[in-house]
Amino acid sequence: AQTVTQSQPEMSVQEAETVTLSCTYDTSENNYYLFWYKQPPSRQMILVIRQEAYKQQNATENRFSVNFQKAAKSFSLKISDSQLGDTAMYFCAFMKRGAQKLVFGQGTRLTINP
Amino acid sequence: SQTIHQWPATLVQPVGSPLSLECTVEGTSNPNLYWYRQAAGRGLQLLFYSVGIGQISSEVPQNLSASRPQDRQFILSSKKLLLSDSGFYLCAWSLAGDNYEQYFGPGTRLTVT
């Protein structure tokens, strides 16, 4: 079974700083997808970024980028020029190709301070 | 564009009472549909998913059940709620086929007393 581990329960940075959230996963699969979701205080889950395991190039979405290290089974999220609206819980998630199930980590609570 | 609705937004129910949570998706056809539960301070756990009308797969055996009576409607039910059923329930959808991005609804906060 796949597991996803987020080792940082909470993080706090100043506005405009860059912050990196860590995620590691355990799987014997070779084809899979990785995701970062954001859950603001409203509690609606919002997809931030996705990475296909077969792609070597790291995914980027505006201020959000990932560092995908397949051999190390690591998938970190970097938020550049952090904004107050980035304050949220961030969840890393794994999905085996062809499956329907998203396996989530426990989340990292990120606070951006003014 | 696609939108997903869930209701009610909050619900307080006594132990032993029935439950019905509804989820509907607009703007797409034949979506995959999902029910997740999030316990306080924890990640999400997949409960059920459906790839078509009447097709339900269960991930976690429990006293909950799901049904998909229409293409874009997904219902989560229970005949008798337990205290442990309290949590935040999220419905999600994805396009059918080889597209794995799941989009979530606003959720229902259920408190069983």
Side-chain angles (χ1 to χ4, degrees), chain B residues 3 8 25 28 30-31 39 41 48-49 58 66-67 71 85 88 90-91 101 105 110:
Chain B
T3 55
V25 180
T28 188
N30 194 33
F48 301 94
Y49 68 89
S58 173
S67 62
D71 181 42
D85 292 324
F88 191 61
L90 290 135
C91 182
E101 296 168 345
L110 171 66

Side-chain angles (χ1 to χ4, degrees), chain A residues 1 4 29 47 72 84 99 104 109:
Chain A
V4 178
E29 301 290 332
L47 177 65
L84 297 179
F104 284 85
R109 183 176 303 278

Side-chain angles (χ1 to χ4, degrees), chain A residues 37 39 43-44 97 100, chain B residues 34 38 98 102 104 109:
Chain A
Y37 279 88
Q39 188 178 40
R43 299 201 72 177
Q44 181 153 7
R97 184 176 174 87
Q100 298 295 332
Chain B
Y34 310 84
Q38 183 178 28
D98 194 14
Q102 294 183 16
F104 287 80
R109 180 184 299 277

Side-chain angles (χ1 to χ4, degrees), chain A residues 33 35 37 39 42-45 47 50 91 95-102 104-106, chain B residues 32 34 36 38 42-44 46 49 51 59 88 90 98-102 104-106 109:
Chain A
Y33 296 81
F35 305 85
Y37 279 88
Q39 188 178 40
S42 66
R43 299 201 72 177
Q44 181 153 7
M45 296 287 284
L47 177 65
R50 124 181 177 168
F91 291 95
M95 180 185 285
K96 182 175 69 172
R97 184 176 174 87
Q100 298 295 332
K101 181 177 180 178
L102 272 172
F104 284 85
Q106 296 295 82
Chain B
N32 294 333
Y34 310 84
Y36 287 86
Q38 183 178 28
R42 298 178 69 88
L44 278 68
L46 179 64
Y49 68 89
V51 298
E59 286 290 318
F88 191 61
L90 290 135
D98 194 14
N99 183 320
Y100 300 98
E101 296 168 345
Q102 294 183 16
F104 287 80
R109 180 184 299 277

